Amino acid sequence: MDLASKLFKGDRVIWIIFMFLCLISVVEVFSATSTIAYKNANHWAPIVRHATFLLGGFVMVLLLHNIPCRFFSAFIILLPVSMLMLIVTPFIGVDANDAHRWLEIMGIQFQPSEFGKLACVVFVAFLLSKRGKLTENQIFKYILIGVGLTCVLILPENFSTAFMLFGVCFLMMFIGQLPFGKLAKLAGILMLALVLFLALLKFTPAAITQYLPDRFVTWQGRLERFFDGHKDNLDESGTYKITDDNYQVTHAKIAIARGGVFGQMPGHGQQRDFLPQAYSDFIYAIIIEELGIVGGIFVLLLYIMLLVRVGMIARKCDKSFPKFLVLGCGLLVVVQALANMAVAVNLVPVTGQPMPLVSRGGTSTLISCIYFGIILSVSRFGANIGNEDEEEEDTENPENPSDEPSGETINQAVEGEREDNPLSAVETITVESKV
């Protein structure tokens, strides 16, 4: 227990949530990557890769939660860097799933949008903490420019990420109590733009879409399948038919239906062999199939508990920057998790959002661990949570230098000198009279 208390500092509840999510991730990714394992000469390669990223992320959490949270403002430098990477990604990026979302540098592939999300959260938290030095209009303008440009660069290749990121930053501005009138106008403009964009997707004829970018056709197809797809899934005899358009959603529903209350147990799921993204976008459906409704609710509650705990940490923070920083990190993780779950149960159209810390993915896993490291650092240095052991040690061992004798010791030494040397008593009286 002493080693654990010294190693895992900060909020204990956040640590427990982190450990449970890592455990669920290892079990379910190992189960969901069966199709990849069959195609690989080494059947253990997929889970070893994922476990390596989780281990690396765990080390990052241990390092970050020992760094005072005030130093995390340095992550703002990632904002221009991520913008530059997002600009070049459509031209030199790696094409995967009909989108250029990845960059490859020295054989390492990563998503620049993940770094952009982290940079935007830190950027917004930093500006909101400068309310005394900057006016509210300046803060609002700078946030709108920085976050807006980042989201515009992300949007062409990943609409859902841009939409989610701006929504989280908008919530941070609302919590930061920026002028409500400006936020209301911004929300109205964005809602109008979203309605116009959806109408454009809905009513643009195929004769025109063939000249538009491929992503526009992809968005249009997803929207049509979500709203109108169920009408075309029955044949003349009334039998439900599985097509290429409804393939993922249908098998996700089958997985959820097979799960029941307690599930089929890990390793006994069937739909992992049919869902193309069973270990990423649709991992929540596999969790429900293998762990049942009980397991699905448990995972949901882990993220809800994370959000509640983050709110408690923010309330205990004395300074503004760690308060807004921990709220931004918690909101980003939880909103992304809820988006992944909503896709799996067919509440929203299919997006490419992985479940933080659970889905398989290198960049996503490492960045999610960075969020947890920041949250733990804020809980420790900003909210003073989890430092009880250090305070007890300070109480048991008060700061009193051993080489500096106390008053009682001095008196005993003086009395001893008086007994050994009669002249010392005269010298002592003379010194005392001069004082």
Side-chain angles (χ1 to χ4, degrees), residues 393-411:
E393 290 179 1
D394 294 339
T395 304
E396 293 174 359
N397 302 313
E399 295 183 0
N400 187 16
S402 57
D403 58 342
E404 191 174 304
S406 61
E408 184 178 358
T409 307
I410 294 175
N411 292 333

Side-chain angles (χ1 to χ4, degrees), residues 185-203:
K185 290 179 181 178
L186 178 60
I189 293 172
L190 292 177
M191 290 299 296
L192 180 61
L194 180 61
V195 170
L196 292 175
F197 179 71
L198 294 177
L200 190 65
L201 289 176
K202 179 70 175 177
F203 299 107

Side-chain angles (χ1 to χ4, degrees), residues 272-343:
R272 59 184 181 172
D273 297 327
F274 297 96
L275 281 168
Q277 298 293 329
Y279 45 81
S280 179
D281 297 351
F282 287 90
I283 195 167
Y284 190 62
I286 303 301
I287 290 174
I288 295 178
E289 182 184 16
E290 297 188 347
L291 301 180
I293 298 297
V294 173
I297 293 176
F298 178 71
V299 174
L300 174 62
L301 288 177
L302 285 177
Y303 287 105
I304 299 299
M305 289 170 59
L306 173 64
L307 184 61
V308 172
R309 198 65 186 176
V310 161
M312 296 174 64
I313 293 171
R315 289 187 63 182
K316 292 186 178 182
C317 290
D318 297 328
K319 298 183 179 180
S320 298
F321 176 67
K323 178 184 297 185
F324 293 121
L325 180 62
V326 73
L327 284 173
C329 292
L331 283 171
L332 199 57
V333 171
V334 175
V335 169
Q336 183 173 328
L338 294 177
N340 177 277
M341 297 177 192
V343 169

Side-chain angles (χ1 to χ4, degrees), residues 9-11 13-15 17-18 61 64-65 67 69 72 121 305-307 309-311 313-314 317 322-334 367-385:
K9 299 177 182 178
D11 189 39
V13 177
I14 300 295
W15 274 113
I17 294 172
F18 176 77
V61 173
L64 289 173
H65 95 292
I67 299 175
C69 52
F72 292 133
V121 169
M305 289 170 59
L306 173 64
L307 184 61
R309 198 65 186 176
V310 161
I313 293 171
C317 290
K323 178 184 297 185
F324 293 121
L325 180 62
V326 73
L327 284 173
C329 292
L331 283 171
L332 199 57
V333 171
V334 175
I367 296 296
S368 298
C369 289
I370 290 177
Y371 292 137
F372 273 90
I374 292 174
I375 292 171
L376 287 166
S377 173
V378 173
S379 71
R380 182 183 175 192
F381 296 102
N384 197 29
I385 297 176

Side-chain angles (χ1 to χ4, degrees), residues 194-309:
L194 180 61
V195 170
L196 292 175
F197 179 71
L198 294 177
L200 190 65
L201 289 176
K202 179 70 175 177
F203 299 107
T204 302
I208 298 177
T209 55
Q210 61 180 342
Y211 301 105
L212 297 176
D214 294 338
R215 293 300 298 171
F216 187 90
V217 179
T218 302
W219 295 334
Q220 189 179 50
R222 288 177 177 178
L223 196 66
E224 290 178 354
R225 287 192 294 271
F226 180 73
F227 288 106
D228 302 327
H230 64 280
K231 299 179 181 178
D232 302 325
N233 292 336
L234 300 178
D235 57 17
E236 297 178 355
S237 62
T239 304
Y240 187 89
K241 58 181 180 181
I242 300 177
T243 63
D244 292 339
D245 293 335
N246 63 12
Y247 186 83
Q248 287 183 314
V249 175
T250 301
H251 283 288
K253 291 180 179 179
I254 294 173
I256 294 172
R258 291 190 73 252
V261 178
F262 298 106
Q264 305 294 322
M265 294 294 106
H268 292 82
Q270 295 180 356
Q271 300 308 306
R272 59 184 181 172
D273 297 327
F274 297 96
L275 281 168
Q277 298 293 329
Y279 45 81
S280 179
D281 297 351
F282 287 90
I283 195 167
Y284 190 62
I286 303 301
I287 290 174
I288 295 178
E289 182 184 16
E290 297 188 347
L291 301 180
I293 298 297
V294 173
I297 293 176
F298 178 71
V299 174
L300 174 62
L301 288 177
L302 285 177
Y303 287 105
I304 299 299
M305 289 170 59
L306 173 64
L307 184 61
V308 172
R309 198 65 186 176

